[in-house]
Structure formats: structure tokens, C-alpha cells
Amino acid sequence: MNKKIFVLLLFLMTVSINTFSQKLYVWCQKEQIPSPRNGFLSDEEINLIIFDGRTMTPKSKIECNSETIIKNLALTIKQTYKSAKINLLTSDNYYQKPAENTITIKIAISAYQAGFSTNLNVGIGSVGGSFSWGAMPENKWNAATGYSVKVYDYRNGAKIKKNKEIGKVESRSNNAGFKTAKNILNTTYVNANQELFFFIDECLME
């Protein structure tokens, strides 16, 4: 191979890798079919507050905005707890005191993005949690979904509060480009939600 061509190819490969590593990628969640908790929390009123605590880099490729991500997550929660009366409040209420004599669930999204190589850590927010994401593999697509969850059970004058940090990470070789990234991002989302629902069940079961 001509030396100049080899050097050019090497340069282009380096530029391509650097371009991937400087970006974070966000796609809308695929529809998830949860297992409904039929009859659970029947007619109980729940205030749900979802706050997006992620930090996106300027070069991020965002195909799903924060409002849509929150809306999709809230819909999945409502489909899971169909028997409850869930009120989705605005994110401004996240740092407000929970209402008396009701249930309040606060979810801070600390991660929902994919990135190539180790740059994924850049967009992971810190919302009062201490979850350790660990080292991200290099030269692979990495995706993460993370929540900081607070459940306040103030029914009947009680003052019960429980917290949980949820973090799911997937890594895969760059075999199918963005398709790979989309698939593993959705996998982390589904897995994080499953853990979220089990935690809510545990907090509110009598």
C-alpha cells in the first residue's frame, strides 16, 4: 500500500473514532409492555414527579428531547399501576416537599444515553446519589439508564421515605453502527424500569 494512502487512512480512522467519542446519542424509548399490577394501589392517589438531571455535551445527537423521555416513562408507569390514580406533576415540583396524606414518587433521570468508547460518563448526572457506574469499555458502544428514586408514603399521617439508586449499563462491539447503540440503550431502559417497578412494589405493598 502506498505510504501516503496508509497515513491518510490511519488519520481518517482516528478522526472517526474521535468523532464518535465526542458525542452522546439519545433516541426515544421503544414501547415497553410492562406487567400490570392489577388491583394494586386501587384508587390510591399518587403524585409522580420526574426530573431530568442529565448533562448533554454540545455535540450530542439528540433525537428525543427531555419532555418526550419523561412523558414516555410516565406512561409506562401508569400502564404498570393501572388501578392507581397517578398525577404527573411538573419537574419544578421535584425539590418541593411532598404532599401530606398521599403517596409521592420522585424519579431523577441521571442517565439515558449511548456513547462510543469511554465518553459516556460525560453525560451522567449526579442527583444526590452515590451509584458507581464503573469503567466503560473502550472501542465499544456503551449505553446507560439511571434513576435516583424517592418514594414518600405519607398516607394516613405516616412519614415513610425510601430511596434507591438504579443504574443499568450495556456494552457491545460496533457491529451494526447506530442500530447497535439504539438496541443496547433500550435494553438498559427496560432493565432499569423493571428494577424501578419492583422497588415501588416493595415500598408500597402492605
Side-chain angles (χ1 to χ4, degrees):
M1 179 185 294
N2 183 289
K3 184 177 181 181
K4 290 183 178 180
I5 295 176
F6 176 78
V7 172
L8 177 60
L9 289 173
L10 183 62
F11 172 75
L12 290 174
M13 288 174 63
T14 303
V15 170
S16 177
I17 291 173
N18 287 336
T19 300
F20 273 127
S21 64
Q22 291 172 355
K23 288 185 178 181
L24 296 173
Y25 299 83
V26 180
W27 297 277
C28 287
Q29 310 99 308
K30 297 179 183 178
E31 184 178 2
Q32 182 178 356
I33 304 176
S35 298
R37 276 57 170 172
N38 294 323
F40 181 48
L41 299 171
S42 180
D43 295 326
E44 293 282 3
E45 188 166 337
I46 299 174
N47 290 331
L48 174 63
I49 305 164
I50 303 175
F51 173 76
D52 189 352
R54 298 172 300 157
T55 302
M56 295 290 102
T57 61
K59 294 184 178 181
S60 297
K61 183 179 180 182
I62 300 174
E63 296 188 6
C64 194
N65 60 32
S66 179
E67 290 77 11
T68 303
I69 291 170
I70 289 173
K71 180 181 176 181
N72 290 342
L73 175 57
L75 178 60
T76 303
I77 293 171
K78 289 181 178 181
Q79 291 173 337
T80 303
Y81 300 96
K82 291 182 177 181
S83 301
K85 298 177 180 178
I86 298 179
N87 307 311
L88 178 62
L89 307 184
T90 63
S91 297
D92 295 339
N93 291 279
Y94 183 80
Y95 289 101
Q96 303 301 316
K97 290 183 179 179
E100 299 291 335
N101 297 312
T102 191
I103 298 167
T104 300
I105 300 175
K106 295 183 179 182
I107 302 172
I109 302 174
S110 56
Y112 177 73
Q113 64 261 356
F116 193 76
S117 200
T118 58
N119 202 59
L120 180 65
N121 287 314
V122 173
I124 294 176
S126 178
V127 194
S130 58
F131 184 84
S132 176
W133 293 90
M136 299 292 177
E138 295 185 5
N139 301 321
K140 287 187 175 183
W141 280 110
N142 299 304
T145 297
Y147 303 138
S148 178
V149 188
K150 298 177 175 63
V151 178
Y152 303 82
D153 188 354
Y154 284 5
R155 290 175 292 181
N156 303 316
K159 293 284 185 179
I160 302 171
K161 175 186 175 184
K162 294 185 179 180
N163 305 332
K164 186 176 183 64
E165 303 297 322
I166 296 173
K168 300 298 180 182
V169 178
E170 290 284 334
S171 300
R172 198 166 299 170
S173 299
N174 188 28
N175 295 326
F178 292 130
K179 184 178 180 180
T180 297
K182 288 181 180 180
N183 286 339
I184 62 172
L185 178 58
N186 199 68
T187 297
T188 64
Y189 175 72
V190 170
N191 291 342
N193 286 348
Q194 185 175 20
E195 187 168 340
L196 168 66
F197 300 148
F198 286 148
F199 176 63
I200 295 173
D201 293 348
E202 178 186 334
C203 289
L204 301 176
M205 285 181 67
E206 296 181 356

